[in-house]
Amino acid sequence: MLFTPAIDLENAKAEILALKSQAIEKERNVDVLTFSHVICRPTEEEALQYWDYAARTNADWTAVENVIKMQFANCYSFPHEVLHLLRERFASGHGGFPLVGTPEQVADGITALAEVGFKGTTLSFVDYNDEFPYFRDHVLPILTERRLRGDGNRNSSSLNISK
C-alpha cells in the first residue's frame, strides 16, 4: 500500500496510474490510498461554519508553518496557490483531503476519491468521540448503498472505497 495526498482530483487519476505503473516495473503491485479530514454536519452551512471555526479562527498558524517547513523544506518549485492550499489543509486536518459538508456531500467526496482510483482513505476528525458517531450513523449507510464499504457490515468501521 502506498499513501499519497489527494491534492487535485483532476490530476489524481494520472498520478495513481503512474504510481501503479512504477510498481509494476519493479514487479510489485500497490494499492494507492490517501488521507482525509471529515467535518460532517446536518447542513452545509453548519459544516462550513465549524470548518471556519476549527481551521481558520482557532488554527495554530505557528505550528502549521513549522509543519510546512519540515515537510516541504527542500521543495522549492511548489506554486504559490498549492502552498496556500496545503497551509489551509494542514490547519484543518494535517494536510488531509477535506470532506466537509452534509452526510451526502461527505459521501460524494469519498465517492470522488474512489472514482479517480484511490483504494481507500484514512479519516480524521476534530473530535473523534463526538463526531464519528454522526459519521457512522449518517455517512456509512450512504457508502454501503454505493457499495463503497469494505464488507458492507454496518457494525464494521472498515472503509474500502474501491468499486
Side-chain angles (χ1 to χ4, degrees):
M1 292 184 203
L2 173 71
F3 279 89
T4 190
I7 294 173
D8 176 3
L9 292 189
E10 288 184 27
N11 295 318
K13 189 171 202 161
E15 292 169 1
I16 291 167
L17 290 173
L19 290 168
K20 290 177 112 13
S21 178
Q22 290 172 20
I24 289 169
E25 289 173 9
K26 302 217 182 280
E27 299 180 6
R28 302 277 190 217
N29 184 25
V30 297
D31 288 326
V32 181
L33 298 99
T34 194
F35 43 97
S36 301
H37 182 72
V38 179
I39 295 178
C40 187
R41 298 292 186 273
T43 68
E44 182 179 22
E45 182 180 348
E46 288 174 277
L48 291 173
Q49 284 177 352
Y50 189 73
W51 179 83
D52 189 63
Y53 166 81
R56 288 191 177 140
T57 305
N58 290 299
D60 182 343
W61 291 108
T62 302
V64 169
E65 289 303 320
N66 286 335
V67 169
I68 294 286
K69 285 177 189 171
M70 287 188 313
Q71 298 232 348
F72 303 99
N74 298 310
C75 299
Y76 303 106
S77 61
F78 270 98
H80 177 72
E81 61 274 4
V82 173
L83 279 176
H84 177 73
L85 176 69
L86 289 172
R87 280 182 180 88
E88 187 175 89
R89 289 190 180 178
F90 270 91
S92 67
H94 198 66
F97 185 77
L99 298 167
V100 179
T102 65
E104 189 75 28
Q105 290 170 318
V106 169
D108 289 347
I110 293 170
T111 300
L113 291 171
E115 287 173 348
V116 299
F118 285 104
K119 182 75 172 174
T121 185
T122 63
L123 301 171
S124 66
F125 300 82
V126 174
D127 185 336
Y128 179 86
N129 288 333
D130 283 346
E131 296 178 59
F132 182 75
Y134 185 79
F135 178 89
R136 178 197 63 218
D137 294 343
H138 297 279
V139 178
L140 289 184
I142 297 169
L143 298 176
T144 298
E145 282 180 22
R146 296 180 185 183
R147 298 178 178 241
L148 293 177
R149 296 244 353 253
D151 62 4
N153 179 349
R154 179 157 168 75
N155 294 321
S156 169
S157 61
S158 171
L159 183 61
N160 175 356
I161 64 173
S162 65
K163 288 187 172 183

